[in-house]
Amino acid sequence: MPARAADDLQTPVQYLKGVGPRRAAELAAAGVQTVEDLLLTLPYRYEDRARLRPIRDLRPGEVASVCATVLSCGLRTTRRPGFRIFEMLVQDASGRVRVVFFNQAFLRDVFEAQQQVVLHGRVDRRPTGGLQITNPDHEIVSDEPDEDGGELVHTGRIVPVYEKVGSLTPKSLRRVVHDALQRLPAEVADVLPETVRRGLGLARRRDALCEAHFPPPDTSIEALEQFRTPAQQRLVFEEFFFFQVGLLLQRREADTRVKPRRILVDDRIREAARKVLPFRLTGDQRRALKEIVEDLQRARPMNRLLQGDVGSGKTIVALLAALVAMENGLQVAFMAPTEILAEQHYASVVRVLAPSRFATALLTGTLTARARREVGSRIATGASQLVVGTHALVQGEVRFKALGLAIVDEQHRFGVVQRATLRDKGLDPDVLVMTATPIPRTLALTAYGDLDTSEIRERIPGRQPIGTLVRSESRRAEVYDLVRGQLRAGRQAFVVCPLVEESEKLDLKAASEMAAELQQRVFADARVGLVHGRVPAAERDRTMAAFAAGAIDVLVATTVIEVGIDVPNATVMVIEQAERFGLAQLHQLRGRVGRGAAQSHCVLVHASRLSDAARARLRALAETTDGFEIAERDLELRGPGDFFGTRQSGVPIFRVGDLLRDHRLMEEARRTAVAWLAGPEATEAQLGAVRRAWTRRFGLAGVA
Ligand code: ADP
Ligand code: MG
């Protein structure tokens, strides 16, 4: 029965050979549940093992693949203490070569004599003469009898190389994918409408799936790596096409929807807004507010993106919109990407709304069950009009009495996908997404075509542009002098250290050591504080508050201060190991200073050796303070990485396509989707199928 079941693309991967419950769980954690999910998880690289090189022909300096037999192998210690080399001697029909691995002692338990191995790596000259392959990618091919009817899976062809998933190595994934493809029935239903497929001359789905994993001989490796083969393009197009049809359906349906409420703006409401406003809005702020309030008054729900630099004054605009909704008897959900940011937003929302008659609540995962219940009941009865939290706010079981407006900070994805969740819960609020990392125009139009946008580009009056310096670590003394000068003038400084999950322990240690060093040796007269994500919330709040009150002069922090904190007297931002940050992130951090009238500085301190990419990033930041321009540069510099993926909390939306690399296909998908929806083929039955495919692919409640 499992053998037959695997014919169906919707079959759970667990029924594939070599995938038991444990691996199925690991795959599920990576978003791979069905055979279809598996087959749409494409290799990140291909290796031409059809063109394995005879060892005799290897040349120093090249990167090559060889297939050889292990003659001997073992660990070698060196004179450097703790430094060990694992070395092998391998042989093919043409000759022998040494293979050297640095500091990978565990390989001793991996390799043994007589194994047949494929090695892919750089060929170097040995210090003692002759050649060696250094730290190659490796795969043992021989201990697996050929079970595939004579078809080689791991060698003798172009083979796919996958990202490791849990305990599934690239090789075991190759085996599993190969098996899944072998079991595909001769006919696989094509999810693309046939006219669309033919009209564009796209490959059939079955062929595309097979060839994207196991390319036919003579496929160009370069084309594969650039995702330009017909098989890959077809799969990307498919993904983008459904995405676009989904967006268009959403838009079409939104245009006909009528909110179950009317929002009105009268003099009383204008007066209430004036009461909370401590300053005059800039022209851009006024225009953005006007656009938003017009949307609020419209019959159809708003879906708007508010773009503007850090500190350009988006939050106050959003809160004024919130006030309008609340004055109309509606509730507002204000969502931040993380709990820390939610806490920070909460503090400033409470401050701004203090002169109003509305009650604000904070709902985060750190609340006790009892506190959660209490907050939940205040939301349900309408006693709290504004609720700050993370996305859990709309995804969990929180019930609103009358949710009218959802404000979302820094989550582009929200506008596209999560609305469907809200709608499914019977809520259909106006949605305002705020971002300080604007989407480059080309991408915005194609990928987020369902959003209206407002922009704030004008600087708040009295603010001077921040001066940005790029300095190597070796010039640290100079950097400290600059900071000292500011401290003497009564100003305050941030020193930010990187913190990433993979090296959290080390990073935390570095931040603590930095704080100690600055306090003891560098700024002995100043008061130095330290905050990071592991500092208990209460203590962190005390430290932040002390910094805001001027009782701390230098705040050493990990990126927890990225957004939210507002201390106008802070005029220096030193970013340590700046090369480890992304461009958008650096820009965000820089936005923590320059919030008062005084000239502010940002110093990017970097390691003395810098990759070209990192250098370009730091230079770009020094050259401009305009977030819109930085977004364009970010897009350019990042290459075919994911522009949206890492910065946003969740999984990237697309698993085959890449907005950057494939943006032309996205444009084509949009055109095609518009035409197809307008044509006779887009029947209710077809649309039903599209909706189902969309739901499966994008994993949420579906569209419209
Ligand atoms: P953003 O949300 O865009 O990062 P904020 O709304 O937090 O920016 O605004 C940054 C700071 O500038 C806040 O302290 C805010 O009170 C202040 N601010 C906003 N708009 C103005 C304005 N028009 N005039 C003076 N200060 C302003
Ligand atoms: Mg902000």
Side-chain angles (χ1 to χ4, degrees):
M1 136 61 173
R4 288 289 322 154
D7 289 351
D8 184 345
L9 284 173
Q10 298 315 315
T11 305
V13 279
Q14 189 171 337
Y15 295 111
L16 290 172
K17 209 159 49 178
V19 183
R22 169 155 161 246
R23 286 180 156 188
E26 289 171 345
L27 285 166
V32 176
Q33 291 181 334
T34 63
V35 168
E36 182 175 51
D37 295 334
L38 178 75
L39 295 181
L40 290 172
T41 306
L42 298 190
Y44 75 96
R45 183 167 82 74
Y46 299 82
E47 215 169 278
D48 193 350
R49 294 188 183 166
R51 263 175 270 269
L52 293 167
R53 302 284 307 278
I55 287 175
R56 192 186 44 211
D57 294 349
L58 295 180
R59 294 289 168 265
E62 71 175 344
V63 173
S65 304
V66 303
C67 180
T69 307
V70 178
L71 293 179
S72 61
C73 58
L75 264 188
R76 203 150 58 72
T77 44
T78 62
R79 256 174 281 158
R80 240 166 85 197
F83 190 73
R84 293 199 286 183
I85 291 178
F86 182 80
E87 199 170 282
M88 304 200 288
L89 181 63
V90 304
Q91 164 177 283
D92 70 4
S94 74
R96 294 177 177 189
V97 70
R98 296 255 166 212
V99 184
V100 173
F101 296 91
F102 299 117
N103 273 340
Q104 299 184 48
F106 64 91
L107 290 178
R108 150 182 63 181
D109 302 322
V110 173
F111 290 109
E112 54 189 70
Q114 300 310 318
Q115 283 168 339
Q116 207 196 349
V117 294
V118 171
L119 305 166
H120 172 81
R122 208 184 61 231
V123 180
D124 291 314
R125 243 181 247 294
R126 281 172 80 75
T128 51
L131 295 180
Q132 69 179 31
I133 304 178
T134 316
N135 289 334
D137 279 0
H138 47 83
E139 211 174 277
I140 298 159
V141 286
S142 71
D143 61 8
E144 198 163 77
D146 211 352
E147 312 159 53
D148 306 292
E151 193 185 350
L152 290 174
V153 179
H154 303 295
T155 184
R157 67 188 313 160
I158 296 175
V159 298
V161 183
Y162 301 93
E163 289 307 345
K164 196 163 180 264
V165 178
S167 66
L168 281 125
T169 60
K171 183 178 168 192
S172 39
L173 279 167
R174 188 181 306 134
R175 159 72 55 211
V176 170
V177 169
H178 190 268
D179 182 48
L181 290 171
Q182 294 283 303
R183 288 156 184 260
L184 282 185
E187 290 292 332
V188 168
D190 203 320
V191 288
L192 275 183
E194 185 63 11
T195 45
V196 167
R197 190 185 71 73
R198 282 195 199 210
L200 294 169
L202 295 170
R204 285 176 198 284
R205 191 164 205 241
R206 189 185 194 288
D207 299 340
L209 288 172
C210 290
E211 295 183 3
H213 291 276
F214 291 92
D218 295 325
T219 308
S220 135
I221 293 283
E222 201 193 338
L224 282 167
E225 310 232 296
Q226 294 172 1
F227 257 73
R228 285 199 332 256
T229 67
Q232 292 163 314
Q233 296 255 301
R234 137 83 213 211
L235 295 177
V236 173
F237 182 86
E238 168 189 319
E239 186 171 48
F240 286 175
F241 177 77
F242 285 119
F243 182 74
Q244 287 296 348
V245 171
L247 283 187
L248 290 164
L249 286 177
Q250 219 173 32
R251 181 94 207 190
R252 185 196 266 185
E253 196 254 355
D255 286 341
T256 63
R257 245 165 26 222
V258 177
K259 292 187 277 201
R261 58 194 176 262
R262 286 304 284 181
I263 290 186
L264 298 170
V265 181
D266 54 24
D267 286 341
R268 185 181 58 82
I269 291 178
R270 283 189 201 99
E271 185 47 38
R274 258 193 294 277
K275 228 168 71 188
V276 304
L277 197 63
F279 37 64
R280 271 178 63 87
L281 294 181
T282 63
D284 275 4
Q285 283 176 316
R286 267 202 305 278
R287 194 166 32 78
L289 183 62
K290 184 160 171 281
E291 287 164 356
I292 294 165
V293 172
E294 275 168 11
D295 274 2
L296 291 178
Q297 293 172 273
R298 234 167 240 139
R300 79 177 192 84
M302 166 169 73
N303 193 15
R304 183 170 287 276
L305 183 68
L306 175 58
Q307 312 195 91
D309 257 325
V310 190
S312 61
K314 297 181 296 297
T315 309
I316 190 73
V317 170
L319 288 179
L320 290 171
L323 209 63
V324 170
M326 293 190 291
E327 287 288 356
N328 277 272
L330 297 166
Q331 288 170 300
V332 178
F334 190 135
M335 285 166 276
T338 67
E339 303 231 322
I340 290 179
L341 293 177
E343 287 170 20
Q344 292 179 352
H345 272 313
Y346 176 69
S348 71
V349 170
V350 166
R351 205 172 52 232
V352 172
L353 291 184
S356 80
R357 61 194 167 88
F358 299 112
T360 305
L362 174 68
L363 193 67
T364 63
T366 50
L367 293 184
T368 61
R370 174 137 170 250
R372 272 190 82 80
R373 264 200 311 281
E374 273 168 22
V375 174
S377 97
R378 269 185 279 134
I379 299 171
T381 59
S384 295
Q385 287 87 25
L386 193 150
V387 192
V388 184
T390 63
H391 287 150
L393 265 189
V394 291
Q395 282 158 350
E397 67 254 31
V398 183
R399 253 184 235 292
F400 287 86
K401 177 153 187 270
L403 182 64
L405 171 63
I407 299 169
V408 189
D409 195 19
E410 289 301 337
Q411 282 290 275
H412 305 108
R413 284 180 61 202
F414 188 91
V416 182
V417 182
Q418 270 125 324
R419 293 171 55 93
T421 322
L422 284 174
R423 208 156 32 235
D424 248 38
K425 295 177 71 170
L427 304 166
D428 203 350
D430 290 305
V431 173
L432 179 66
V433 181
M434 300 194 289
T435 180
T437 46
I439 299 166
R441 216 152 248 295
T442 44
L443 294 192
L445 287 177
T446 51
Y448 296 93
D450 67 330
L451 288 178
D452 298 311
T453 59
S454 297
E455 293 178 2
I456 303 181
R457 303 191 74 146
E458 192 177 340
R459 196 173 293 127
I460 290 172
R463 302 280 163 88
Q464 304 182 41
I466 302 159
T468 303
L469 301 171
V470 181
R471 290 288 178 268
S472 157
E473 239 164 25
S474 57
R475 297 170 70 182
R476 191 174 281 287
E478 207 179 298
V479 176
Y480 289 156
D481 283 345
L482 188 150
V483 175
R484 208 171 280 118
Q486 292 290 310
L487 295 179
R488 272 204 205 107
R491 304 291 179 199
Q492 293 162 279
F494 290 103
V495 177
V496 174
C497 304
L499 178 73
V500 297
E501 224 172 291
E502 303 87 69
S503 56
E504 191 180 350
K505 264 203 176 131
L506 283 175
D507 285 343
L508 287 175
K509 185 155 166 277
S512 309
E513 284 173 3
M514 174 61 72
E517 157 90 6
L518 292 179
Q519 180 68 83
Q520 285 156 23
R521 276 190 261 284
V522 185
F523 307 121
D525 302 337
R527 294 156 297 181
V528 178
L530 171 67
V531 289
H532 54 64
R534 283 295 168 86
V535 172
E539 188 187 333
R540 198 175 58 221
D541 291 350
R542 269 199 307 279
T543 309
M544 293 279 207
F547 186 68
I552 287 176
D553 307 300
V554 179
L555 184 66
V556 178
T558 54
T559 39
V560 292
I561 61 154
E562 190 170 333
V563 187
I565 189 168
D566 189 13
V567 183
N569 192 47
T571 53
V572 200
M573 163 68 60
V574 177
I575 303 177
E576 291 286 339
Q577 299 181 52
E579 71 275 14
R580 287 178 59 192
F581 293 89
L583 194 47
Q585 212 184 2
L586 288 170
H587 180 61
Q588 289 259 355
L589 282 168
R590 177 168 63 180
R592 297 299 102 207
V593 293
R595 312 203 123 208
Q599 168 72 56
S600 287
H601 309 270
C602 174
V603 191
L604 307 171
V605 181
H606 60 83
S608 31
R609 285 230 207 142
L610 216 49
S611 71
D612 289 346
R615 191 174 300 280
R617 219 162 41 233
L618 300 187
R619 192 171 301 148
L621 198 75
E623 279 166 8
T624 176
T625 53
D626 179 345
F628 289 86
E629 206 179 316
I630 285 173
E632 302 285 347
R633 295 288 282 273
D634 198 17
L635 184 59
E636 262 166 49
L637 290 172
R638 254 197 251 202
D642 56 336
F643 184 76
F644 298 95
T646 49
R647 191 174 55 237
Q648 314 287 329
S649 53
V651 193
I653 309 184
F654 302 109
R655 54 184 174 192
V656 185
D658 178 308
L659 281 177
L660 262 190
R661 182 191 63 205
D662 306 318
H663 72 95
R664 253 173 253 287
L665 273 181
M666 181 63 96
E667 280 153 31
E668 181 155 50
R670 182 161 189 91
R671 277 194 304 274
T672 311
V674 169
W676 184 74
L677 275 176
E681 264 192 276
T683 58
E684 265 318 305
Q686 278 279 2
L687 290 180
V690 170
R691 283 194 190 100
R692 280 191 299 279
W694 209 89
T695 306
R696 265 205 309 277
R697 183 66 63 85
F698 299 103
L700 274 163
V703 284

